[in-house]
Structures are given as structure tokens and as C-alpha cells.
């Protein structure tokens, strides 16, 4: 293939409407996840700081762990990745959060490909006009010439899967729920990333198998799917429900694709091998340290409550209402009590869920697998939430539900759009290019407003709220930065109140976790009892302060 041919192919790809739109969405996602990252969120939460201490251990001891038992235990992959950015950029709050932003943007990209693959057979709209000539809403707009001046008609004729992927990607990119956790140094943000890309490659392998593609390529997709899917077990404890969804997908393929039964078993074996390969180090650790396997699960389980059945029922109601009624009340996780979804997006979710239920009951020629898959994903993702008795509704623990929520939302938005266009096209009096162009214009304005709302909700309403600074331990963070600014020549004694987690924040930001670093920075830690035993002469010329 000549250089000119390669250049032309690249140019054609980059100028495709879906590539241009996806690039704009990724641009929005990058901006909302990295803009002002150095100061927003304001402060450093102790749980993030514990991760930071682990990164210092990695850099000091040159030892990567698969599991860190501190702070109720955490899978080690995220801290090991964070260590790269701490090594590159130093002990700053934002360096612990940089990895979260990367995984967040990767998830926004991945949900586009997963949505496009999952709804690949969606080549026509579900709604039709009530008058002659019958057509889908998009076909009516195409016939009216609404799009032809901007985008080739062929793009709309066969592009419903692309639009579903783009919508899911855009809604996720502008979601406060996802933006927030993409800017906090918690390992849970990895679980959407690994599951989305894992299932994308697995579904791609199944499709390529049905299309009788070369075996090496299809097995390659299966291996990639297994590796990505397996990496999720190194992310967050609630990810452990995901194998049940993989089993659902595999059983469905067996029941519907009997002509490729032998190939399915081979691919499933490769997927399993990929999973085992990346899970093995963590599994070996748990075999040697079984007490770390459950972590805090037993402490936050509803089984430890007085009335588990009642708690379970209440948790289902609260969790179901978190999207449109009342969300997480923890200011670190949310604008306290606000629904997790902006109200128009919440409506689209309800429409999408309704459309999914209708398709299961009355498929009308549509493939049921996408919605069965998404309902299974949603129920499994919310199971760890409703089975716990702490902070319900819990946006962080429900982070696995982000993928099905926004894919259903995309389905609802697409159905609503097509229904509106089909209704207009059904009435000769208003079936005009200006009427249809009005919908097109309104859609562009709505997209712009969603970006504006995401910026306002996060950077103005949430980040500037004094309760947010308090939730992220800003006084202790400021204290640590002030300590760090003092000259090394000055000996500094820091008094640690009993049981105060603020020491993790101070030790990370001042890089004084080890005895060696404490001597290097001339900064030492004392308990109140220890400091009382020192005489005035011993304290002379020493800067003594207490963690706020």
C-alpha cells in the first residue's frame, strides 16, 4: 500500500462525521476532567492520602504490591499507576488524581465503541409516523433534506448504532456523577473502564466469529476481552459481581448461535485464560491472606443490621430514586442530596428503561440481547449497593452502574428524538423543512446547555461550596502546604492528635512518610504525650504545631 493511499485512508477516517463528533466529545470530557485539577477538588481527602502513602512506598522500596492492606485493604493496581505520576510530578494532590482523569476519559471513549457494538443491528428507528407515507423519524428528516447540506444522507441511513454510542459517550462526558469521580484519587473509577473495554472486545469477538472472520483475529479479540475484563478485579471490590454478566452473555450466545457452538467454547476458553492471567497475582495474595478478601464487606453488609429484609427493601427504593429523586448525600460524592442525573437526562433514562422493557416483551423484530444484557448489568451493578447498610444511596459504590445507565439514557434520547420527528412528519401542515430544522437547532442548543450545566454544577455549585472544602479536609491540606514551604534548616515538630487521619495528608504532601525523608526535611511527628515530655530547652528554636 502506497503512502498516498495510507494518507487518503487516514484523511477519510478523520473527516467522517462520527469521528469528528466523537473527537469533540472527547475534547469536552478532557476539559471537564482536567481543567483546574491542581485546585479542584479543594483539599486532599485522607483516603486519597493513604493511596499517596502507598505510592511513596512503591518509590522508596521499589516494590509493587498487588494489594495494600491499610485502610481496610485495597487492590494495588491503581496505587501502582498513581506512583508513576507522583514520580513524574511530585507529591501533589492533583498527581494522585491524574490517573483518575485518564481512566475517566478512557471510559467516555469506550462507551461509544461498546454502545455501537452492542446495538450494531439497530438499522431502523422503533417509531413510525401515523400517516402515509410511513417512515422513521430520521428517514423523514433525510427525505426533507434537513441533513443533506451538512452531512451525507448515507451516514443517517445506517447509523443508529453510531448515534447511540455518541449519545451515551456525550451524556457520560457531561455527567457530574462521572466527572466528580474522574477527579478524585479513588480506585473505583477504574471499574467502568475495564468492564466497558472488556465487554467491547468480547462482543466484538462473538460477532466476528459469527461472520466467520479469520480465527487468529477473533481469538485475539477474545484474549483482549479477557485481559481487560480480568483487570477489573484489580480495581474495586464490587467488580466481583461481573462474572455473572459474562455468563449471561455467553449463555445467550450458546442458545442463539448454535451454528458456532464449537467456536464459542474455544473463545470462552481464551477469554477465561486472559482473565486468569491478570487475576492470578491477586488471587495468590488472597490465598495467602484470606482475611483481606472481603475487606469491609462484612462491616457494611445489611446482614449486620437488626432487620436485613427491611433494610434491603428500603435500600432498593433509595437506590432506585438516586437517579431522579435524591442522590448521595455525601458532599464528596455529589452535590449533597441532588439526583445523580440532570433532570432531562433522568427523563431519557426512564424512557430508555421503558423501551428496553417493551423490547423484551414485544421485540418487534429487534434483537433482545442488548437490553437483556444492559438490564442484567444494571441489576448486578446495583446489588452491592442495596446489600450494604452505609450511606445509601451511595454514588461511589454504584459506579459500576454508570455504563448501563448511560446506554439506556442514549436509547431513551434516541427514541424520544425519533418519536418527535415522526409525529411532525405525520402532519402535512407542519411537515416542512423549517419545522424539522427547528428540532435540529433545538438539539444543538440542548447539547450546548448540557456542557454549560456540567461546568456550572461542578466548578461553580459544587467546587465553590464551603461544605466541599470541609469534605476534602482543606484546612489540613493547607496546613501541610504551609509546613512544606518552611525552610529545611528549621526543625519542625508536628503534633498528631490520637487517631487523626490527617497525618496521612501531611506525610504525603510533605513527602515525610519515612524516617529518611523526615530527616531530609527536618520534620518529625510526635503524639501529645510525647511532646509533653520534652522540656522548654529541648523545644527551643523548634517550630512546633498541631495538625488542625
Amino acid at each position: 500500500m502506497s503512502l498516498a493511499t495510507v494518507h487518503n485512508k487516514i484523511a477519510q477516517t478523520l473527516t467522517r462525521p462520527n469521528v469528528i463528533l466523537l473527537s469533540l466529545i472527547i475534547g469536552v470530557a478532557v476539559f471537564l476532567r482536567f481543567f483546574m485539577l491542581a485546585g479542584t477538588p479543594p483539599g486532599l481527602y485522607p483516603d486519597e492520602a493513604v493511596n499517596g502513602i502507598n505510592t511513596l512506598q512503591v518509590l522508596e522500596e521499589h516494590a509493587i504490591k498487588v494489594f495494600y492492606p491499610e485502610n481496610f485493604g485495597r487492590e494495588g493496581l491503581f496505587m501502582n499507576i498513581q506512583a508513576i505520576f507522583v514520580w513524574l510530578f511530585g507529591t501533589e494532590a492533583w498527581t494522585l488524581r491524574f490517573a483518575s482523569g485518564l481512566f475517566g476519559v478512557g471510559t467516555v471513549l469506550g462507551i461509544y465503541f461498546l454502545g455501537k457494538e452492542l446495538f450494531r443491528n439497530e438499522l431502523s428507528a422503533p417509531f413510525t409516523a401515523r400517516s402515509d407515507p410511513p417512515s422513521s423519524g430520521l428517514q423523514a428528516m433525510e427525505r426533507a433534506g434537513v441533513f443533506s447540506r451538512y452531512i451525507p444522507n448515507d451516514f443517517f441511513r445506517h447509523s443508529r448504532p453510531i448515534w447511540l454510542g455518541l449519545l451515551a459517550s456525550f451524556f457520560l462526558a457531561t455527567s457530574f456523577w462521572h466527572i466528580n469521580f474522574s477527579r478524585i484519587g479513588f480506585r473505583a473509577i477504574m471499574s467502568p473502564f475495564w468492564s466497558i473495554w472488556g465487554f467491547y472486545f468480547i462482543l466484538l469477538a462473538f460477532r466476528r466469529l459469527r461472520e466467520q472472520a479469520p480465527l487468529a483475529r477473533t481469538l485475539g479479540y477474545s484474549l483482549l476481552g479477557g485481559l481487560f475484563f480480568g483487570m477489573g478485579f484489580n480495581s474495586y471490590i464490587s467488580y466481583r459481581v461481573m462474572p455473572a454478566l459474562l455468563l449471561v452473555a455467553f449463555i445467550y450466545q450458546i442458545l442463539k448461535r448454535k451454528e458456532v457452538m464449537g467456536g464459542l467454547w474455544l473463545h470462552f476458553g481464551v477469554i477465561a485464560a486472559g482473565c486468569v492471567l491478570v487475576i492470578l497475582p491477586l488471587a495468590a495474595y488472597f490465598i495467602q491472606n484470606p482475611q483481606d478478601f472481603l475487606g469491609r464487606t462484612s462491616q457494611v453488609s445489611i446482614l449486620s443490621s437488626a432487620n436485613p429484609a427491611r433494610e434491603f427493601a428500603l435500600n432498593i427504593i433509595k437506590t432506585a430514586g438516586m437517579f431522579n429523586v435524591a442522590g448521595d448525600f455525601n458532599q464528596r460524592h455529589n452535590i449533597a442530596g441532588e439526583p445523580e442525573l440532570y433532570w432531562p437526562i433522568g427523563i431519557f433514562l426512564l424512557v430508555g428503561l421503558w423501551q428496553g422493557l417493551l423490547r423484551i416483551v414485544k421485540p418487534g423484530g429487534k434483537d433482545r440481547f442488548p437490553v437483556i444484557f444492559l438490564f442484567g448489568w444494571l441489576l448486578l451493578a446495583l446489588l452491592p449497593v442495596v446489600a450494604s447498610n452505609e450511606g445509601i444511596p451511595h454514588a461511589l459504590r454504584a459506579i459500576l452502574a454508570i455504563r448501563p445507565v448511560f446506554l439506556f439514557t442514549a436509547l431513551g434520547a434516541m427514541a424520544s428524538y425519533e418519536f418527535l420527528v415522526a409525529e411532525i412528519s405525520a402532519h402535512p401542515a407542519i411537515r416542512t423543512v423549517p419545522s424539522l430544522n427547528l428540532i435540529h437547532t433545538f438539539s444543538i442548543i440542548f447539547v450546548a446547555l448540557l456542557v454549560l450545566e456540567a461546568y456550572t454544577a461542578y466548578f461553580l455549585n459544587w467546587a465553590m461550596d464551603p461544605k466541599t472544602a470541609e469534605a476534602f479536609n482543606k484546612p489540613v491540606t493547607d496546613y501541610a502546604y504551609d509546613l512544606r514551604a518552611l525552610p529545611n534548616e528549621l526543625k519542625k515538630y508536628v503534633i498528631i492528635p490520637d487517631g487523626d487521619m490527617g497525618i496521612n495528608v501531611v506525610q504525603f504532601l510533605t513527602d515525610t512518610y519515612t524516617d529518611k525523608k523526615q530527616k531530609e526535611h527536618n520534620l518529625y511527628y510526635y503524639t501529645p504525650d510525647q511532646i509533653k515530655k520534652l522540656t522548654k530547652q529541648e523545644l527551643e528554636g523548634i517550630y512546633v504545631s498541631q495538625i488542625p
Side-chain angles (χ1 to χ4, degrees):
M1 185 180 296
S2 67
L3 186 61
T5 303
V6 173
H7 179 271
N8 290 335
K9 284 185 175 293
I10 293 174
Q12 290 173 4
T13 300
L14 294 178
T15 55
R16 287 176 185 170
N18 57 312
V19 175
I20 294 172
L21 292 173
L22 180 61
S23 299
L24 292 173
I25 292 169
I26 296 302
V28 169
V30 169
F31 173 78
L32 292 174
R33 282 151 185 79
F34 289 100
F35 178 63
M36 294 179 61
L37 189 62
T40 310
L44 182 65
Y45 187 59
D47 283 359
E48 295 178 282
V50 173
N51 288 359
I53 295 297
N54 294 141
T55 68
L56 296 180
Q57 290 175 326
V58 171
L59 298 175
E60 285 286 325
E61 301 169 8
H62 304 288
I64 294 176
K65 298 180 182 179
V66 296
F67 192 87
Y68 293 91
E70 303 86 2
N71 200 22
F72 302 104
R74 289 144 301 128
E75 295 80 2
L77 177 62
F78 190 62
M79 282 66 78
N80 297 331
I81 294 173
Q82 285 179 307
I84 298 172
F85 300 105
V86 172
W87 174 65
L88 288 173
F89 305 114
T91 53
E92 306 286 348
W94 70 267
T95 60
L96 295 177
R97 296 164 176 166
F98 196 83
S100 300
L102 293 178
F103 279 107
V105 172
T107 303
V108 172
L109 178 65
I111 203 170
Y112 163 75
F113 286 101
L114 178 62
K116 186 163 67 80
E117 183 62 35
L118 190 61
F119 291 98
R120 188 174 182 81
N121 295 323
E122 303 285 311
L123 298 181
S124 59
F127 294 105
T128 57
R130 290 198 304 262
S131 65
D132 186 61
S135 65
S136 75
L138 288 181
Q139 289 169 343
M141 295 186 78
E142 178 188 325
R143 207 174 45 247
V146 174
F147 302 121
S148 58
R149 76 196 69 175
Y150 307 110
I151 299 174
N153 283 340
D154 285 346
F155 177 68
F156 286 89
R157 187 176 294 118
H158 302 291
S159 62
R160 198 163 191 267
I162 293 175
W163 277 110
L164 286 167
L166 288 171
L167 286 170
S169 182
F170 176 69
F171 292 151
L172 182 61
T174 54
S175 161
F176 177 94
W177 184 14
H178 193 253
I179 293 168
N180 186 41
F181 289 120
S182 296
R183 297 174 64 98
I184 303 176
F186 292 159
R187 73 193 192 283
I189 191 63
M190 292 195 302
S191 60
F193 175 86
W194 296 121
S195 59
I196 280 176
W197 284 102
F199 276 117
Y200 166 68
F201 284 117
I202 289 169
L203 294 177
L204 181 60
F206 287 163
R207 174 170 65 83
R208 299 298 286 165
L209 174 64
R210 296 195 302 272
E211 295 172 349
Q212 298 182 340
L215 185 61
R217 180 177 295 181
T218 58
L219 289 179
Y221 291 140
S222 290
L223 180 59
L224 280 173
L227 293 172
F228 274 88
F229 183 81
M231 289 297 287
F233 290 94
N234 293 277
S235 62
Y236 194 48
I237 193 169
S238 62
Y239 189 90
R240 297 172 191 175
V241 301
M242 284 291 100
L245 184 61
L246 180 58
L247 189 61
V248 168
F250 184 63
I251 291 174
Y252 187 92
Q253 294 295 322
I254 287 177
L255 295 176
K256 293 291 183 178
R257 317 293 180 189
K258 294 181 180 179
E259 70 278 6
V260 290
M261 180 74 75
L264 278 172
W265 282 108
L266 177 60
H267 280 70
F268 189 76
V270 172
I271 293 167
C275 287
V276 170
L277 186 64
V278 292
I279 294 172
L280 200 56
L282 187 62
Y285 174 87
F286 285 138
I287 290 172
Q288 296 174 4
N289 304 272
Q291 72 281 359
D292 289 332
F293 180 72
L294 293 178
R296 292 185 64 214
T297 303
S298 58
Q299 298 178 26
V300 301
S301 171
I302 57 171
L303 297 178
S304 62
S305 61
N307 192 333
R310 178 177 176 275
E311 288 294 321
F312 187 69
L314 287 175
N315 287 353
I316 290 175
I317 294 171
K318 291 178 182 179
T319 301
M322 71 184 286
F323 305 108
N324 291 286
V325 182
D328 197 321
F329 285 86
N330 186 332
Q331 188 70 14
R332 279 188 305 280
H333 300 168
N334 190 28
I335 300 175
E338 289 293 313
E340 299 300 328
L341 302 179
Y342 185 41
W343 67 265
I345 306 303
I347 292 174
F348 287 150
L349 172 63
L350 296 177
V351 174
L353 292 171
W354 176 247
Q355 285 296 300
L357 289 172
L358 285 180
R359 184 174 300 189
I360 291 174
V361 177
K362 299 177 181 179
K366 298 286 185 181
D367 186 2
R368 292 177 176 175
F369 174 71
V371 291
I372 291 174
F373 182 76
L374 290 179
F375 273 119
W377 197 332
L378 184 62
L379 294 175
L380 284 171
L382 295 179
L383 182 60
V385 186
V386 299
S388 64
N389 62 1
E390 180 188 69
I392 305 299
H394 202 290
L396 180 61
R397 204 168 288 140
I399 200 168
L400 271 170
I402 273 178
R403 287 82 70 210
V405 162
F406 285 100
L407 286 167
F408 270 126
T409 300
L411 190 64
M414 192 73 174
S416 302
Y417 181 78
E418 292 172 336
F419 177 75
L420 180 60
V421 173
E423 288 297 300
I424 289 178
S425 68
H427 300 280
I430 60 173
R431 189 170 59 197
T432 62
V433 170
S435 298
L436 296 172
N437 266 333
L438 183 62
I439 297 176
H440 187 224
T441 303
F442 175 78
S443 299
I444 295 173
I445 294 172
F446 178 67
V447 164
L449 287 176
L450 282 184
V451 176
L452 180 62
E453 190 279 333
Y455 178 89
T456 302
Y458 185 84
F459 291 100
L460 301 182
N461 297 345
W462 182 80
M464 298 181 69
D465 190 329
K467 292 182 292 185
T468 303
E470 181 182 348
F472 279 91
N473 225 18
K474 192 171 189 300
V476 177
T477 306
D478 291 341
Y479 168 78
Y481 281 125
D482 290 340
L483 270 180
R484 196 170 75 175
L486 295 174
N488 282 352
E489 295 76 18
L490 176 64
K491 182 173 282 190
K492 301 167 282 288
Y493 287 177
V494 175
I495 304 173
I496 316 161
D498 292 337
D500 193 328
M501 290 285 287
I503 186 176
N504 296 308
V505 176
V506 176
Q507 287 184 332
F508 172 72
L509 292 176
T510 59
D511 191 13
T512 54
Y513 172 69
T514 63
D515 292 340
K516 176 184 175 183
K517 289 291 186 178
Q518 289 172 22
K519 291 178 182 178
E520 183 179 316
H521 293 282
N522 213 4
L523 193 157
Y524 305 91
Y525 298 91
Y526 288 85
T527 65
D529 290 337
Q530 289 172 329
I531 207 74
K532 288 177 184 177
K533 294 177 182 179
L534 300 179
T535 64
K536 288 184 179 180
Q537 289 78 12
E538 290 175 316
L539 294 175
E540 188 174 346
I542 297 173
Y543 179 85
V544 181
S545 61
Q546 180 171 316
I547 297 176

